[in-house]
Amino acid sequence: MNVLEVARAALDTGPLCDACLGRLFAERSFGLTNAERGHALRVTLALKADEPFEASEDCWVCEGETDRVDWWAEQAATAVRGYDFETYQVGTKVPPLFEENDALLREDVGLDPDLGEALKTDLNREVGKRIGRLTDTEVEFGRPDVQFTLDLATDEVDVQVNSAFVYGRYRKLQRDIPQTKWPCNDCNGTGLYQGQPCDGCDGTGYRYDESVEQLSAPVVEEAMEGSAATFHGAGREDVDALMLESGRPFVIEVDTPRTRNVDTDAIEREINEFADGKVEVEGLRLATHEMVERVKELDASKTYRMDVEFAEPVTEDALQTALDELEGTTVEQETPQRVAHRRADLTRTRDVYAASGELIDERHADIRIHGAGGLYVKELVSSDDGRTEPSLAGLLGVDAVVTALDVVDVEGESEPFAKAEFFRE
């Protein structure tokens, strides 16, 4: 059958709206809506048969849903009033009856079940275009700011407001501050032990009173008028270590934000004031959701500065010789004894890119190590009873221990964390 014969057969099945008639021929004539296709076919058939033109006000396939696209768009626009967003996507839940009707129509006219366009696809597009006009926003098929789901069975619009993201780098300027909230082990974060305030955390539920997260995320959450905020870091330093110089990359994710286009420079100033010298942030920028995975997964090298104490006197020449031997070498490290209780006992190889330092006195040194991610630098110094080879202690033949450790740089191994495609304009 040709197009007109199929259209005639479709109209003979019962009352059809223009959109459901046109959906049978969605692959034809680019630039038309399905309703325009259906209307044109109806007019052409009337002209060919020299019959009065009759529009249909009923439709046995969609039961009038395609006539409600404006109503659906208005409901969606109303549902997000008060939310700041730039992109959206529309999905539709179609009752099984409508899908069965679609299949029956194609069967009755002898069409392949996969030809044409599904009702949900037509509604997604047509309602979506109207939402865009009403809200002055654009469709995004990846991860939009807002996801609308039209439920034809309940006449409800479900709205999912996706998270907003802010990227930056932080410096931790005081020791004994964890990166994220650290629940108390004694009470499992409840603040109560046997019905009484927990002695281990004074009833707070946290082992430490403050964290980098608690000193930064609340400011971003408030600025974006979100419901919650989560801190994502590019690795983490030990609780007793400082994070200095260039800082560590991080992303703060804000749930259900009402405001997205915030002034990141102003937020940066507010965080630094709020943190009161304990933490500093810089380079805040609005980011995409892909940046969360990037800060967590991108291979990164790290540079450390350490205060080292030797059990016996060491000469400057001996120290420099040992550091020269460490620089550029690949070390083998068994899982350190200090973390063996929570990590698998494996032997790992890690590269030392650079090693430098100087004696403060004959039993103390200031050491700087640049190494691959996952390098245990405390054990690189101490040898961890021979579990790291080579080590500074082993090369010197003198026991050594790190008494203070600072991270001074975290950078991507092959490329920087901050790339244009991971930021919002």
Side-chain angles (χ1 to χ4, degrees):
M1 291 191 293
N2 61 33
V3 171
L4 290 180
E5 289 173 334
V6 173
R8 179 75 271 169
L11 290 173
D12 288 342
T13 66
L16 280 181
C17 65
D18 287 344
C20 284
L21 175 59
R23 285 193 295 107
L24 298 175
F25 312 97
E27 295 92 349
R28 290 178 174 266
S29 191
F30 178 78
L32 295 174
T33 67
N34 289 325
E36 290 170 340
R37 291 185 182 92
H39 180 75
L41 288 167
R42 201 185 298 273
V43 170
T44 301
L45 288 171
L47 289 171
K48 181 179 179 182
D50 194 16
E51 296 174 348
F53 173 78
E54 294 184 4
S56 177
E57 296 182 359
D58 299 314
C59 182
W60 71 271
V61 176
C62 75
E63 297 185 1
E65 282 299 339
T66 58
D67 289 334
R68 298 209 303 158
V69 290
D70 288 322
W71 181 86
W72 279 113
E74 290 166 1
Q75 298 305 302
T78 298
V80 291
R81 191 172 295 159
Y83 285 91
D84 173 24
F85 67 102
E86 296 177 358
T87 60
Y88 67 93
Q89 189 176 1
V90 179
T92 303
K93 291 183 179 179
V94 175
L97 174 62
F98 291 174
E99 294 178 336
E100 292 171 8
N101 290 347
D102 248 356
L104 285 173
L105 175 61
R106 284 160 175 74
E107 182 180 333
D108 288 346
V109 301
L111 286 181
D112 187 289
D114 295 327
L115 282 179
E117 189 171 66
L119 175 60
K120 69 165 57 179
T121 306
D122 187 37
L123 288 175
N124 290 347
R125 183 181 57 257
E126 295 305 317
V127 175
K129 289 191 295 187
R130 289 161 173 81
I131 291 174
R133 290 196 292 267
L134 288 172
T135 60
D136 193 25
T137 55
E138 296 182 356
V139 171
E140 165 62 51
F141 294 110
R143 183 186 171 90
D145 295 336
V146 173
Q147 170 73 51
F148 299 100
T149 301
L150 319 178
D151 191 332
L152 304 190
T154 64
D155 272 0
E156 294 176 331
V157 178
D158 178 70
V159 177
Q160 176 181 309
V161 178
N162 287 324
S163 301
F165 305 88
V166 173
Y167 167 87
R169 283 177 171 266
Y170 76 82
R171 288 183 289 274
K172 192 177 76 178
L173 306 177
Q174 287 190 15
R175 303 189 192 280
D176 296 323
I177 296 179
Q179 183 187 88
T180 55
K181 298 174 184 176
W182 192 321
C184 173
N185 295 332
D186 295 340
C187 64
N188 294 318
T190 65
L192 296 175
Y193 183 76
Q194 297 182 347
Q196 299 296 321
C198 175
D199 290 335
C201 63
D202 292 328
T204 66
Y206 296 108
R207 183 173 172 183
Y208 294 89
D209 293 336
E210 296 175 314
S211 64
V212 177
E213 176 182 26
Q214 289 163 292
L215 293 170
S216 59
V219 177
V220 182
E221 179 186 339
E222 181 178 359
M224 289 188 160
E225 301 178 83
S227 60
T230 304
F231 190 99
H232 306 280
R236 63 177 67 220
E237 64 282 342
D238 291 342
V239 172
D240 61 352
L242 301 181
M243 181 69 240
L244 303 174
E245 297 188 14
S246 67
R248 185 183 297 274
F250 71 91
V251 173
I252 293 175
E253 176 180 358
V254 177
D255 297 343
T256 57
R258 287 185 172 272
T259 303
R260 292 177 183 270
N261 293 316
V262 294
D263 183 342
T264 51
D265 289 340
I267 291 177
E268 186 174 307
R269 291 191 296 271
E270 290 174 22
I271 290 175
N272 291 337
E273 182 178 350
F274 179 67
D276 194 25
K278 301 166 189 172
V279 168
E280 290 179 350
V281 300
E282 66 176 20
L284 295 194
R285 298 176 64 181
L286 297 176
T288 66
H289 75 282
E290 290 92 352
M291 185 57 91
V292 172
E293 181 177 357
R294 187 167 179 81
V295 300
K296 288 180 172 293
E297 302 296 336
L298 185 66
D299 289 337
S301 68
K302 300 175 180 67
T303 303
Y304 301 86
R305 192 214 65 79
M306 295 169 283
D307 292 337
V308 176
E309 183 176 320
F310 303 109
E312 300 174 19
V314 171
T315 67
E316 186 69 38
D317 286 345
L319 176 64
Q320 295 305 321
T321 298
L323 291 173
D324 288 345
E325 289 191 49
L326 281 181
E327 184 163 331
T329 194
T330 298
V331 300
E332 291 189 355
Q333 295 190 302
E334 295 180 44
T335 301
Q337 299 175 69
R338 64 187 171 90
V339 298
H341 63 286
R342 64 177 187 272
R343 296 185 184 173
D345 190 8
L346 302 172
T347 299
R348 303 169 177 83
T349 59
R350 293 291 186 269
D351 293 332
V352 179
Y353 300 139
S356 61
E358 61 182 2
L359 286 177
I360 305 302
D361 58 45
E362 61 183 9
R363 295 185 61 176
H364 298 88
D366 184 344
I367 304 295
R368 197 175 181 104
I369 299 290
H370 177 206
L375 175 68
Y376 292 110
V377 291
K378 289 181 178 179
E379 285 68 30
L380 181 68
V381 168
S382 71
S383 90
D384 195 27
D385 293 333
R387 295 168 69 87
T388 290
E389 291 291 344
S391 68
L392 182 62
L395 292 170
L396 288 170
V398 174
D399 287 344
V401 63
V402 175
T403 58
L405 179 145
D406 304 326
V407 186
V408 296
D409 193 22
V410 178
E411 290 294 344
E413 287 274 11
S414 59
E415 59 183 21
F417 282 90
K419 295 186 71 176
E421 60 262 39
F422 296 98
F423 297 106
R424 295 180 70 117
E425 296 180 358

